[in-house]
Amino acid sequence: MLADYIQIPIAAALCWILFVTVDIVFRLPEKGGVKGAAAIGRKIREDGGSLPGGTMMGNIVSSPDASAGTLLAACGVYVAGLPGGLAAAALVFIGNRICHDPGYAGTTGAVLASIMVTGFAVLGFAPENFIAGMVIAILTIQGLSHPYASRLLTRIWGWRS
């Protein structure tokens, strides 16, 4: 079994890849799924960032997307195993409907994260390390540099097409 200080960065990388991939697949950089996402994207562009990446970041703030789904699923698996993660996915689905979010990125991210965290728990990873890893993953997108993060997300978005 790997030590926590090794598990957390691995979990952070896996969570980052999962939530960014799900959000890209659901085309969040193209247009925000909820009100507010486009306004945040425009503000990030005005501050030197990129509009598509900024729009995706705006969606992360405005509605439970795959990053929120991944974090809540990790918490659910920590509390109650796979059923807890799937219960978190149901709550994310409800949250999306409350926010009038027409998409399913958050719910999909939560279901996939529930499976991923449960699978890695079988391999000896502690679910709480995925909680820490997801917080780190969200921090890299939302907390360090909006202009640079938005440009990175736009570059990844460009690979999709």
Side-chain angles (χ1 to χ4, degrees):
M1 187 164 109
L2 298 172
D4 287 345
Y5 65 88
I6 296 174
Q7 287 185 17
I8 291 172
I10 292 170
L14 291 170
C15 290
W16 197 94
I17 291 167
L18 175 67
F19 95 75
V20 169
T21 300
V22 170
D23 282 353
I24 294 288
V25 167
F26 277 88
R27 307 181 75 85
L28 295 186
E30 185 175 63
K31 57 184 174 8
V34 294
K35 291 182 179 179
I40 292 171
R42 286 191 301 273
K43 177 62 176 152
I44 289 173
R45 181 183 61 197
E46 290 170 11
D47 291 344
S50 172
L51 182 60
T55 302
M56 179 173 160
M57 293 167 70
N59 206 79
I60 290 170
V61 170
S62 303
S63 176
D65 75 323
S67 63
T70 303
L71 178 58
L72 292 171
C75 293
V77 171
Y78 172 72
V79 170
L82 182 59
L86 297 177
L91 292 174
V92 169
F93 176 80
I94 292 167
N96 285 138
R97 304 296 72 86
I98 290 170
C99 293
H100 301 286
D101 188 338
Y104 297 95
T107 306
T108 302
V111 170
L112 292 175
S114 297
I115 294 167
M116 179 178 74
V117 173
T118 302
F120 274 90
V122 170
L123 297 175
F125 276 68
E128 59 267 25
N129 289 338
F130 278 91
I131 296 169
M134 191 58 222
V135 169
I136 292 168
I138 292 171
L139 178 66
T140 64
I141 295 297
Q142 294 290 15
L144 298 179
S145 171
H146 288 147
Y148 289 115
S150 68
R151 288 187 218 136
L152 172 64
L153 293 171
T154 298
R155 181 171 290 152
I156 294 169
W157 169 246
W159 296 339
R160 185 182 192 278
S161 34

